């Protein structure tokens, strides 16, 4: 399932390079992928949220506004260069809310429990989707949610359905995700530990 998808991934070396962050972080992206619309009802004040594969931090910064001073955002990425980009955006109002975290090659490595995990344009890049989702499951508080969003142009319907099947086999309940331009989205809720 996820392994088949994986082969394509390895062939094309899919980890998004730091030099391409302008594609992810620009006015147009923030307009078509308006964080307030996408996370409406999912991210609330006081929550602890994990933005795994945060890249340049477009959504970490936005979620910091939404969780407010009583909440926390863990901006996690494999690449130091991405975390540097997020760091450069921290200001007086969000620097106490956003915690930067460096992931390992095949381990996210976050030790605290979170209410919500964002996996935006990341799942198709990870070495093992099952291992990645299993670790996220262990990081989530009971009743916690994962929002997975994948780009249509990289991830076909079949590959996305295979990822969903993997999640279901691991005890996640799938719920309809928000509408996200040019993307496939799904919400996973933890059913069993
Ligand atoms: C296409 S970018 C998306 C960035 C951001 N989520 C966004 O939508 O703007 C994918 C990001 O996931 C990160 N990434 C890939 N594999 C990862 C892994 N196993 N653990 C953590 N981050 C990973 C990459 O370094 C890159 O920053």
């Amino acid at each position: 399932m996820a392994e088949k998808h994986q082969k394509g991934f390895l062939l094309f070396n899919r980890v998004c390079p730091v030099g391409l962050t302008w594609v992810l972080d620009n006015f147009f992206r923030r307009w078509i992928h308006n964080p307030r619309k996408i996370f409406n009802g999912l991210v609330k004040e006081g929550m602890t949220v994990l933005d795994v594969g945060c890249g340049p931090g477009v959504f970490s910064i936005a979620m910091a506004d939404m969780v407010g001073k009583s909440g926390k955002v863990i901006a996690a990425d494999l690449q130091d260069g991405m975390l540097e980009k997020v760091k450069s955006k921290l200001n007086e109002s969000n620097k106490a809310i956003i915690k930067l975290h460096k992931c390992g090659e095949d381990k996210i490595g976050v030790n605290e429990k979170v209410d919500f995990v964002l996996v935006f344009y990341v799942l198709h890049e990870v070495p093992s989707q099952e291992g990645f989702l299993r670790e996220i499951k262990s990081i989530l508080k009971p009743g916690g949610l994962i929002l997975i969003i994948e780009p249509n142009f990289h991830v076909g319907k079949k590959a996305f359905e295979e990822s969903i099947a993997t999640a279901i086999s691991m005890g996640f309940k799938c719920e309809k995700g928000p509408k996200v331009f040019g993307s496939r989205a799904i919400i996973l809720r933890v059913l069993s530990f």
Side-chain angles (χ1 to χ4, degrees):
M1 294 187 301
E3 308 312 321
K4 199 169 129 210
H5 179 195
Q6 183 65 22
K7 282 177 190 152
F9 157 71
L10 288 172
L11 280 174
F12 294 107
N13 181 25
R14 295 275 183 83
V15 175
C16 177
V18 177
L20 272 188
T21 51
W22 59 272
V23 176
L24 300 166
D25 190 2
N26 57 63
F27 173 81
F28 181 66
R29 173 102 193 278
R30 280 188 291 274
W31 179 62
I32 57 167
H33 290 164
N34 183 324
R36 291 255 167 206
K37 284 190 185 154
I38 294 175
F39 307 138
N40 183 28
L42 296 172
V43 176
K44 298 176 187 152
E45 199 162 336
M47 276 186 164
T48 297
V49 306
L50 169 62
D51 183 6
V52 65
C54 63
V58 171
F59 302 104
S60 303
I61 302 287
M63 289 195 293
D65 276 350
M66 296 175 81
V67 300
K69 286 190 169 37
S70 57
K72 185 193 272 191
V73 175
I74 304 168
D77 205 283
L78 195 60
Q79 302 182 77
D80 287 319
M82 294 296 192
L83 296 175
E84 284 301 320
K85 298 259 177 202
V86 185
K87 196 173 174 189
S88 72
K89 294 187 183 120
L90 300 183
N91 59 35
E92 283 311 312
S93 69
N94 60 25
K95 71 179 178 199
I97 302 170
I98 300 177
K99 183 183 156 196
L100 302 178
H101 174 85
K102 171 96 192 294
C103 300
E105 286 288 331
D106 50 16
K107 191 160 173 60
I108 300 167
V110 166
N111 292 323
E112 60 190 295
K113 297 278 183 187
V114 307
D115 300 286
F116 175 80
V117 181
L118 176 66
V119 185
F120 204 143
Y121 286 9
V122 179
L123 196 63
H124 62 282
E125 294 192 3
V126 303
S128 160
Q129 294 192 4
E130 190 174 342
F132 188 73
L133 292 175
R134 196 171 300 288
E135 188 179 356
I136 293 178
K137 197 176 172 193
S138 73
I139 294 169
L140 276 174
K141 292 179 189 172
L145 298 177
I146 311 175
L147 173 59
I148 297 176
I149 305 172
E150 289 282 69
N152 280 342
F153 57 90
H154 261 323
V155 181
K157 188 167 181 274
K158 192 159 178 281
F160 194 61
E161 282 170 359
E162 286 173 355
S163 299
I164 294 172
T166 302
I168 291 171
S169 74
M170 293 169 62
F172 284 106
K173 179 173 176 274
C174 297
E175 297 173 12
K176 198 167 176 246
K179 273 200 182 336
V180 182
F181 180 84
S183 310
R184 307 178 197 282
I186 189 96
I187 294 169
L188 305 181
R189 189 184 289 277
V190 183
L191 271 190
S192 59
F193 279 90

